[in-house]
Amino acid sequence: MESVYVAVLLLWALLFIYAVAGSIDFGTGFWAMYYSRQNHYKAATIANNFLSPAWKVTNVFLVLLVVAFVALFPGAAPTLGTLMIVPFCLVLLLLTIRSAFLVYAYSTKKYSRMLTLVSGLCGLFIPAILVSILPAAIGGFVVVAGDKQYILVNELFLSPAFYTHVGFGLVTQLFISALFMCDYAKEAGDESTASSYRKNAIFLGPVTLVFAVAAIFTLIPEAPWMFEKFLSLWHWYTLSLFAFALGYSALWWRSKTSHLGHPRAALLLIVVQFGLASIAYGSAHLPYLLYPNVTIYDAFTNETMFRYLLIGFLIGLAILVPVFLYFWRLFFKDKAYLQSDQHDYS
C-alpha cells in the first residue's frame, strides 16, 4: 500500500473513533437536556452519570485528528484552512461553552436546568457543523483568485446537499446515542428508562436511513463525479444496508432476561454499518481532499517525515486507545456508579 493511503487510513481511523465517541457524547448531552425538561429525572440522571466522566476525554481524538491532518497533509492546509476556519472556530466556541456549562451544571442546583439546556444544544450543533464541511469539499464552493481563496457562502447555503448532510449529522448522533443509552440504562438495571431510549432509537433509525439516502442523491447535481464512483462501490453500501437492517432488528430480538431486545448488539452493528458507509463515502471522494483543487498526492508530506509521524502516532494510539477503552469500561461496568443519583437534577 502506498504511503499516502496509509496516511489516509490513519486519518479515517481517528475520524471514525471521534465520530462514534462524539455522537455518543454529544447525543447523550442532548438526551440529558431533553429528559430534564420533560421531568423524566431517571433518564436524565443516567445520561448525566455517563456524561460526567466521558465528556472530558472524547475530544482528545479531535485534537489528534487535526494534528494528524496538518502533519500528514500540510499542502492542504492553505486551501482547506479557508474552508474550515469558520466551522472549526464555531466548534471550538461551542465546545468551550458546553464544557463550562457542564461543569457549572454539576456544581450548582439553582441554575442546573438552564445550564443543561445550553450545554445540550451546544453539543447537538457541534456534529452538524463538522459534517457541513463534507458537502463544502465536493467542489464548486471555493473560488481561487490568484493567491486567495473565497468561499461562496450563498451558494453553499442554497445547496440541498448541505442541508441533507447537516440533517444526517444531527439524526445520526441522536440515533447512536439513544442506542447507547438504552444499553447503558439496561446495564444499570433500569428497564423503564432503557425502554424510553429504545423508543427513541426505534423512531430515529428510519429517519437516519432517509437522511443518509438523501445525502447521497442530493450529490447528483452537485458532484456527479462522486456519484458515479458511488455506483462502482455498490457492494459497500449493500453491506452497510445489511448491517443497518440487522442492527435495527436487534431491538426486537428475543431475550430471556429482558423485553428490550439486544441493544448492545444493535449498537455494535450500527457502528459497523456506519464504518462501512464511511469507507464507501471516503473512497468515492478520493483522491480529492477538495475537488478539483487539492488531491491527497499534492498535499502529502515527504516520505521521511511520514515515517517519523507514523511511528509517533502509532505509539501514541497504542497507549491512548487501551487507556480510553479501560476508562470507558470502568464507568460502564461499575454497578454502584451506574445506579447512583449523584447527578440527579430533581
Side-chain angles (χ1 to χ4, degrees):
M1 183 183 294
E2 295 181 64
S3 298
V4 65
Y5 283 100
V6 174
V8 169
L9 185 61
L10 176 61
L11 282 180
W12 175 85
L14 291 172
L15 178 61
F16 180 69
I17 292 172
Y18 180 71
V20 174
S23 292
I24 294 173
D25 180 19
F26 298 128
T28 301
F30 172 82
W31 294 123
M33 179 271 292
Y34 173 78
Y35 280 117
S36 67
R37 307 296 291 184
Q38 297 294 318
N39 295 325
H40 192 331
Y41 293 115
K42 286 187 176 180
T45 297
I46 286 180
N48 283 305
N49 280 349
F50 168 75
L51 277 177
S52 179
W55 70 270
K56 303 178 185 69
V57 298
T58 302
N59 293 315
V60 170
F61 288 97
L62 177 61
V63 175
L64 282 176
L65 177 62
V66 174
V67 171
F69 179 79
V70 174
L72 294 171
F73 296 96
T79 302
L80 287 181
T82 301
L83 182 66
M84 296 189 294
I85 185 66
V86 174
F88 265 84
C89 285
L90 287 174
V91 167
L92 289 175
L93 176 62
L94 292 176
L95 280 173
T96 302
I97 295 173
R98 179 178 187 257
S99 300
F101 277 44
L102 278 173
V103 171
Y104 288 121
Y106 293 149
S107 60
T108 177
K109 293 288 184 180
K110 184 177 180 180
Y111 301 107
S112 62
R113 289 171 66 87
M114 184 272 290
L115 295 170
T116 304
L117 173 64
V118 175
S119 62
L121 291 177
C122 287
L124 182 67
F125 292 129
I126 289 171
I129 293 173
L130 291 174
V131 171
S132 70
I133 297 173
L134 295 178
I138 62 177
F141 301 111
V142 178
V143 174
V144 179
D147 59 347
K148 296 182 179 180
Q149 295 92 33
Y150 301 93
I151 304 174
L152 303 178
V153 178
N154 292 339
E155 293 188 19
L156 180 61
F157 285 165
L158 291 174
S159 169
F162 175 81
Y163 293 102
T164 53
H165 278 72
V166 169
F168 176 73
L170 286 171
V171 297
T172 298
Q173 66 161 323
L174 295 179
F175 178 45
I176 292 178
S177 60
L179 286 172
F180 176 83
M181 289 310 302
C182 177
D183 187 34
Y184 196 69
K186 182 182 177 183
E187 189 75 18
D190 191 341
E191 294 216 353
S192 175
T193 299
S195 180
S196 297
Y197 282 112
R198 178 177 176 270
K199 292 177 182 177
N200 295 329
I202 290 173
F203 169 74
L204 288 165
V207 178
T208 303
L209 185 61
V210 168
F211 270 100
V213 174
I216 293 175
F217 279 94
T218 50
L219 289 175
I220 296 177
E222 305 285 352
W225 63 273
M226 192 172 176
F227 187 78
E228 289 177 6
K229 290 188 176 182
F230 282 144
L231 299 179
S232 64
L233 296 166
W234 63 269
H235 50 287
W236 284 103
Y237 284 107
T238 301
L239 289 173
S240 174
L241 187 61
F242 178 73
F244 176 87
L246 200 60
Y248 190 65
S249 68
L251 293 171
W252 287 274
W253 290 356
R254 291 185 178 181
S255 173
K256 295 180 180 180
T257 59
S258 172
H259 67 282
L260 300 171
H262 291 265
R264 185 168 303 178
L267 174 65
L268 293 175
L269 286 166
I270 292 300
V271 169
V272 170
Q273 178 268 325
F274 186 63
L276 292 170
S278 65
I279 290 174
Y281 189 98
S283 298
H285 204 285
L286 291 177
Y288 299 103
L289 291 173
L290 177 63
Y291 182 86
N293 301 317
V294 183
T295 70
I296 56 175
Y297 301 104
D298 301 329
F300 189 54
T301 188
N302 62 73
E303 287 288 337
T304 303
M305 180 61 71
F306 167 72
R307 293 191 188 96
Y308 286 117
L309 288 171
L310 182 62
I311 293 172
F313 277 115
L314 290 178
I315 293 174
L317 288 175
I319 297 172
L320 183 62
V321 172
V323 171
F324 184 79
L325 292 175
Y326 175 76
F327 177 84
W328 192 288
R329 182 178 175 82
L330 181 66
F331 288 96
F332 194 85
K333 290 295 185 180
D334 189 335
K335 290 288 186 181
Y337 182 82
L338 286 171
Q339 297 171 0
S340 67
D341 61 352
Q342 59 182 309
H343 304 303
D344 192 345
Y345 294 144
S346 59

